[in-house]
Amino acid sequence: MNRKEKRSWNDDSDRPTKRSRHDRDDDLGDNLEHLIVRLGEKSTSSLEKNLEELVDILDHDVSKSAKSGIIKIICECVAEIPEKTSIYATLVGLLNNRNYDLGANVIELLSKGFKESLKNCEWTKSHSFVRFFADLVNCHVISPASLMNFFETLTDVTMEDNIPQVRSDFFIYIVLSSLPWVGYELYDKKEQDLEQLLNTIENYIAKRSRTHHTPLRVWYSDTPHPQEEYLDCLWAQISKLRSDKWAERHIYRPYLSFGKVLCEGLQHNLPNITIPPHAPSNTYPYPRVVFRLFDYTDCPDGPILPGAHSIERYLVEENVKWIIDSNYFDVKECAQALLTLQGSHKMPLEYVLIETILAEIFALPTSKYLEIFYGSLLLKLCKMQPSSLPQVLAQSVQILFDRIDTMNAACVDRFASWFAYHLSNFQYTWSWDDWSSCLTLDPLHPKPKFVRECLLRCMRLSYHQRIAEIVPDGFKILLPDVPEPMDKYNTEDSTNLPGISLVGKLNQMLSSRPTIEQVGELLEAPEGANGDASGESIPHCLKIDIFLTVLLNKASKSFSHLFSALLKYNKILLSLNTSEEAQKQILTTIYEVWRHHPQLLVVLTNKLLKAGIIQYPAVVNWLFSKEYSDDFTRSHTWEILHSTVKRQTKSVMNIQKELKNLKAKAGKESEKQQEEPEKEDDPKIKVEESGDDAPMTEEDEIERIEEKLEVALAEQRDLFVIIFQNFVSQLSEHIRSCESKGKSFKTHWFRWGIGRLQQAFFEHHQHLFNIIPTLESIVFTTDLDHHISLIFKQFCSLQA
């Protein structure tokens, strides 16, 4: 099913009509599939009429071979378009009413799809299948008793031995999240069994660990809105629904229009489904914390916002997330679908959309999609609904800023990045004076830090003078520095600096476009030839400092000039890189020249890594060095760190991909050889292949790549160890220093430091889970301060 080729019933020509069997079968691939996919979307005919006509075609006029294909399409729609669960449930109910065997085929294929999704760890699909099974009870396709048995099978996972909590959490979650669809039907027909199931779930909820709750919170304060753990929140919502006799007012249920017809259908029993056992390689969905920004007092006009424990609040938020997932590649279509959300007239839609999208932006450990997507989506929504959405979004920004004191460090970064992007699309217009209270706070306080980082990102999207013009005079102290290079060898006091004579020669030589050899000869001249005024020889690190300082200032006209200069003199830089100390000097010099241009620091560091001039550990050690300590709390420091790790990780993934492809190729060739008749060995070929120049066999190539991968994984592990050792060293030293002075170590600096430690875990969580034993034995040992080790324990709990 290709979602990009969807078509709509926009006119009568697209509606299914009775035609010859030959024509209909020919058009199934390019017409009927599109009609099924777009079922329930904008049409000149009612949904009920379209359903009836589609069922007529599928039941009477489509060949038996084509029906199996159509059933497969319906099952794919169930898995991929969860926002239309009840529409497809109605379609299957009507088909089952017409043809019992057809209904059985659908149930069989859905059950198979559910088993495959569990086997392949496709948890989102598994969730969709379970919810669909629940809704089929409403359509008289699946018996309530059969569904109850299925739910009991899912909850029995909680009694398995030696499994991580996230596994049992997932199965409890998919049962609870399906109950709003079928709760009333089960309450009506299987009340005792339903109560027993809920009591089992309640007991599980009460005893589960919540160590993961704190690190996943956007805010560390529950004022004014509690930041609840997702399963606790859903259980509270289900409990409220239970007390309301399972009456909800949000789910669109088209099958109610066919009640008399559907009740005549024969019901099926779900086949017995065995849940695959836990495997160490299984990665389950992470737990979450429910993001709350608004309550009913924030929405003065129009419909009332449902309470935090109202099931309608959960259902509409899930609907928004489904629409985003389905339309991720088309921002315009996504915005249109959100603004026409089913049941939107029953609640303040703008507030729900803003809160849910911001929840996705701030989701920890990482956002599901790129930040630019969410930013573009909010822009599109503001332009399509200019009368209300921009005002609600501005209100949201003010609330976020007011609560930023307790916001997670990673979320502060995302807030600044998104807000700067949003401002860039509105001429950077904002009521900055409303935030003037932050000007008197400690520079490391979250509020002035946020404004400074936001303005820095605005400058990246514009230029310094433009940003200086948009902020009031009082905010000038938070403006980024003018992004100009610094040349310590071109000041009034530079005449007595060591190596100043070499600076003059190098400046003169670079102005005349010398060859690489000429520059190299000047730098490699015998000791004393390039000495300073006192006649002393120039140390190697000073040569690096002089060469790079002069080169970077000479090529400072633009990014292109800088990159060209580094490319041209790449050979010289490689020759100067004789040790890790030399690499540190290269990075220190770049920092001293371009410390007022953080974006360029990020780019240049990446370029040096790509060229092989510096190595990954050198970058990490430099970022934690005393020379770089002034910028330790600034966001670009961690941008450099994470881009460095991601570059190293990408190289590992490329090797893994190469090895996988090579093994797949070898497997196919092995199968091919087994199928072909054996041929007599050619002695001539044997002699040629036994020579010294014989080509490497596939087995040898696979072994070589495996060894290469082993080395790369070891380097990756060592890099992570270096990162966390540096974190532990810095934070531990801060704690010891403060305690020796009788001061509290819980300063703004410590808050940013511990926040960045947590962010490092979150940014690279997929790879860090593979080396937890190593980190536990080398870095996060038992003698570590518990404020630091707690971050590690909380991270481990995400898959515990």
Side-chain angles (χ1 to χ4, degrees):
M1 179 185 68
N2 190 343
R3 295 294 304 274
K4 293 184 179 180
E5 297 179 0
K6 296 187 298 184
R7 290 174 58 185
S8 172
W9 266 321
N10 289 324
D11 52 54
D12 292 338
S13 63
D14 278 342
R15 289 168 52 197
T17 57
K18 294 186 176 181
R19 296 170 291 176
S20 69
R21 181 179 300 277
H22 181 269
D23 289 340
R24 285 193 301 276
D25 287 351
D26 285 346
D27 290 343
L28 275 176
D30 59 359
N31 184 27
L32 197 52
E33 176 180 353
H34 301 295
L35 297 177
I36 294 173
V37 172
R38 294 303 294 260
L39 191 61
E41 299 183 20
K42 187 176 180 181
S43 169
T44 55
S45 299
S46 67
L47 173 61
E48 290 77 9
K49 186 174 182 180
N50 288 334
L51 279 168
E52 288 173 346
E53 293 181 347
L54 186 57
V55 169
D56 282 339
I57 294 175
L58 297 177
D59 184 39
H60 297 296
D61 303 331
V62 177
S63 65
K64 185 176 180 180
S65 59
K67 282 182 181 179
S68 61
I70 295 304
I71 292 174
K72 184 178 179 182
I73 293 169
I74 294 173
C75 294
E76 288 177 356
C77 288
V78 168
E80 302 290 345
I81 319 177
E83 66 268 27
K84 296 183 184 180
T85 291
S86 293
I87 295 175
Y88 291 118
T90 307
L91 175 61
V92 173
L94 293 172
L95 289 172
N96 180 68
N97 176 261
R98 298 282 191 92
N99 189 327
Y100 181 80
D101 291 336
L102 187 60
N105 292 336
V106 172
I107 298 300
E108 181 183 359
L109 192 58
L110 287 170
S111 301
K112 183 179 179 182
F114 175 67
K115 294 176 185 176
E116 286 296 316
S117 65
L118 291 178
K119 181 180 178 181
N120 299 327
C121 297
E122 297 173 327
W123 310 117
T124 302
K125 285 186 178 181
S126 303
H127 187 187
S128 297
F129 283 125
V130 174
R131 186 171 48 247
F132 192 71
F133 289 145
D135 217 15
L136 287 180
V137 172
N138 298 314
C139 299
H140 220 253
V141 177
I142 293 177
S143 66
S146 174
L147 183 70
M148 286 303 307
N149 290 334
F150 176 58
F151 280 171
E152 289 169 5
T153 300
L154 297 177
T155 55
D156 285 346
V157 171
T158 61
M159 293 182 283
E160 294 176 351
D161 296 326
N162 302 319
I163 61 168
Q165 180 177 290
V166 284
R167 173 177 169 84
S168 49
D169 278 0
F170 169 74
F171 286 99
I172 292 297
Y173 175 75
I174 60 177
V175 171
L176 284 177
S177 62
S178 300
L179 286 177
W181 273 261
V182 73
Y184 183 81
E185 191 72 12
L186 296 179
Y187 171 71
D188 183 49
K189 295 183 172 61
K190 291 288 178 180
E191 181 180 3
Q192 188 175 352
D193 292 342
L194 177 60
E195 287 300 312
Q196 185 177 346
L197 176 74
L198 292 173
N199 290 335
T200 301
I201 293 175
E202 185 175 19
N203 292 333
Y204 172 78
I205 296 286
K207 68 182 182 181
R208 58 192 289 270
S209 169
R210 292 164 178 80
T211 307
H212 56 269
H213 185 200
T214 299
L216 295 175
R217 293 162 62 110
V218 174
W219 292 288
Y220 299 126
S221 170
D222 283 331
T223 304
H225 308 303
Q227 305 298 299
E228 295 181 280
E229 202 270 347
Y230 82 116
L231 210 50
D232 288 343
C233 184
L234 180 56
W235 172 247
Q237 291 164 333
I238 292 296
S239 298
K240 176 69 166 56
L241 181 62
R242 180 187 188 182
S243 65
D244 293 338
K245 307 298 183 184
W246 302 96
E248 60 78 33
R249 296 174 295 278
H250 179 76
I251 297 174
Y252 175 52
R253 302 179 185 270
Y255 39 75
L256 295 178
S257 301
F258 300 95
K260 292 182 179 180
V261 175
L262 293 175
C263 69
E264 297 174 357
L266 298 177
Q267 293 178 322
H268 302 265
N269 288 326
L270 279 169
N272 291 328
I273 296 176
T274 302
I275 307 300
H278 170 65
S281 59
N282 287 1
T283 301
Y284 299 94
Y286 291 138
R288 305 186 304 278
V289 170
V290 180
F291 179 84
R292 288 283 179 256
L293 189 66
F294 302 119
D295 61 23
Y296 70 95
T297 60
D298 297 306
C299 319
D301 303 319
I304 297 176
L305 183 69
H309 289 162
S310 164
I311 197 64
E312 283 76 22
R313 189 78 169 262
Y314 168 78
L315 292 173
V316 71
E317 288 168 354
E318 285 295 291
N319 225 337
V320 170
K321 293 174 185 176
W322 294 338
I323 291 173
I324 290 174
D325 290 341
S326 298
N327 299 279
Y328 168 61
F329 292 104
D330 191 329
V331 173
K332 183 178 179 181
E333 189 169 338
C334 186
Q336 288 175 336
L338 290 174
L339 291 175
T340 56
L341 189 66
Q342 190 73 36
S344 58
H345 62 285
K346 300 177 183 178
M347 58 186 65
L349 181 63
E350 295 84 356
Y351 288 88
V352 172
L353 292 181
I354 296 298
E355 183 178 73
T356 308
I357 294 171
L358 289 176
E360 293 292 290
I361 292 176
F362 296 136
L364 295 169
T366 55
S367 299
K368 188 171 185 178
Y369 301 117
L370 294 175
E371 184 181 285
I372 189 68
F373 163 73
Y374 297 113
S376 300
L377 179 59
L378 287 171
L379 283 175
K380 183 63 69 175
L381 288 170
C382 287
K383 291 176 181 178
M384 295 175 70
Q385 196 86 353
S387 61
S388 57
L389 259 163
Q391 293 86 337
V392 176
L393 191 56
Q395 181 182 350
S396 306
V397 171
Q398 187 60 52
I399 293 174
L400 290 171
F401 183 77
D402 290 340
R403 298 186 62 189
I404 205 170
D405 296 22
T406 60
M407 184 178 274
N408 183 290
C411 294
V412 174
D413 277 357
R414 298 185 203 175
F415 182 21
S417 181
W418 161 73
F419 188 52
Y421 169 74
H422 193 79
L423 289 178
S424 70
N425 286 273
F426 291 96
Q427 292 77 49
Y428 301 98
T429 303
W430 184 249
S431 52
W432 296 101
D433 285 326
D434 293 345
W435 293 352
S436 58
S437 60
C438 75
L439 301 175
T440 58
L441 299 174
D442 184 324
L444 288 182
H445 188 281
K447 286 185 177 179
K449 279 283 290 180
F450 164 76
V451 174
R452 186 186 296 275
E453 294 293 347
C454 183
L455 293 175
L456 181 62
R457 285 171 167 81
C458 286
M459 191 183 72
R460 288 190 182 188
L461 299 167
S462 182
Y463 53 96
H464 188 275
Q465 184 179 349
R466 174 76 177 93
I467 304 306
E469 292 171 353
I470 67 168
V471 296
D473 291 339
F475 283 78
K476 303 298 183 185
I477 60 173
L478 298 180
L479 272 177
D481 298 315
V482 179
E484 294 178 346
M486 299 176 68
D487 187 356
K488 62 184 178 184
Y489 295 109
N490 189 24
T491 64
E492 294 180 358
D493 301 327
S494 63
T495 53
N496 295 324
L497 290 176
I500 193 67
S501 60
L502 176 59
V503 172
K505 294 177 183 177
L506 193 57
N507 258 315
Q508 184 178 3
M509 179 176 285
L510 291 179
S511 299
S512 60
R513 296 187 178 180
T515 62
I516 297 175
E517 289 74 18
Q518 289 173 322
V519 176
E521 289 175 3
L522 177 63
L523 294 174
E524 295 172 5
E527 290 190 8
N530 289 324
D532 59 16
S534 63
E536 296 179 357
S537 60
I538 299 178
H540 184 73
C541 284
L542 182 55
K543 284 185 180 181
I544 294 174
D545 184 60
I546 290 171
F547 173 68
L548 268 177
T549 301
V550 173
L551 180 66
L552 294 174
N553 276 278
K554 283 284 185 183
S556 62
K557 187 175 181 180
S558 68
F559 278 29
S560 298
H561 285 78
L562 277 170
F563 301 156
S564 297
L566 290 175
L567 181 62
K568 179 178 180 180
Y569 295 105
N570 180 66
K571 186 177 179 181
I572 292 178
L573 288 170
L574 286 171
S575 67
L576 291 173
N577 176 17
T578 57
S579 63
E580 186 169 338
E581 184 182 2
Q583 293 181 45
K584 182 180 177 181
Q585 183 60 56
I586 290 173
L587 291 164
T588 301
T589 303
I590 291 175
Y591 172 65
E592 289 177 348
V593 174
W594 285 111
R595 66 183 306 166
H596 296 322
H597 200 326
Q599 182 184 11
L600 191 55
L601 284 177
V602 175
V603 176
L604 287 177
T605 305
N606 195 45
K607 289 285 184 182
L608 293 173
L609 283 169
K610 185 177 181 180
I613 295 170
I614 54 175
Q615 305 302 316
Y616 304 110
V619 176
V620 173
N621 289 326
W622 167 64
L623 291 174
F624 286 93
S625 66
K626 291 182 179 180
E627 292 84 354
Y628 199 80
S629 59
D630 289 346
D631 282 4
F632 182 79
T633 62
R634 300 184 65 183
S635 63
H636 72 267
T637 300
W638 311 106
E639 189 177 351
I640 293 173
L641 177 72
H642 298 312
S643 65
T644 299
V645 175
K646 287 175 182 176
R647 173 170 284 279
Q648 202 274 345
T649 299
K650 187 177 180 180
S651 65
V652 172
M653 293 172 66
N654 287 337
I655 298 173
Q656 290 173 330
K657 184 178 179 180
E658 182 182 2
L659 180 61
K660 182 179 178 181
N661 292 338
L662 196 60
K663 286 183 175 180
K665 181 182 177 182
K668 289 181 180 179
E669 291 185 358
S670 177
E671 292 177 2
K672 185 177 179 181
Q673 289 175 359
Q674 290 177 1
E675 293 174 357
E676 292 179 352
E678 294 184 4
K679 298 180 180 179
E680 293 185 4
D681 293 335
D682 189 335
K684 182 179 180 181
I685 295 177
K686 283 188 175 182
V687 172
E688 289 179 354
E689 290 183 349
S690 64
D692 294 336
D693 297 330
M696 184 179 292
T697 64
E698 286 184 345
E699 290 79 6
D700 293 337
E701 182 67 12
I702 289 174
E703 185 177 349
R704 184 185 69 82
I705 300 299
E706 286 177 337
E707 292 174 356
K708 183 180 177 181
L709 177 60
E710 186 177 348
V711 171
L713 288 171
E715 291 176 348
Q716 183 188 54
R717 182 192 62 235
D718 293 344
L719 183 64
F720 281 127
V721 168
I722 291 171
I723 289 172
F724 292 112
Q725 282 178 332
N726 274 291
F727 264 117
V728 168
S729 176
Q730 292 269 5
L731 294 169
S732 299
E733 177 59 30
H734 172 81
I735 292 173
R736 286 193 297 269
S737 176
C738 289
E739 289 179 343
S740 66
K741 298 174 184 177
K743 299 179 181 179
S744 172
F745 63 83
K746 293 182 179 181
T747 61
H748 289 306
W749 185 95
F750 182 77
R751 179 208 160 166
W752 290 114
I754 209 77
R756 296 306 181 184
L757 171 61
Q758 186 185 79
Q759 184 183 19
F761 279 116
F762 282 173
E763 284 285 333
H764 314 288
H765 57 96
Q766 294 175 321
H767 310 285
L768 287 171
F769 277 116
N770 298 324
I771 62 167
I772 280 181
T774 301
L775 293 176
E776 192 171 21
S777 62
I778 298 177
V779 184
F780 297 95
T781 53
T782 54
D783 59 340
L784 195 61
D785 185 276
H786 75 277
H787 292 90
I788 303 173
S789 60
L790 180 61
I791 302 298
F792 175 67
K793 293 176 182 177
Q794 290 173 340
F795 169 71
C796 295
S797 71
L798 297 185
Q799 280 291 306

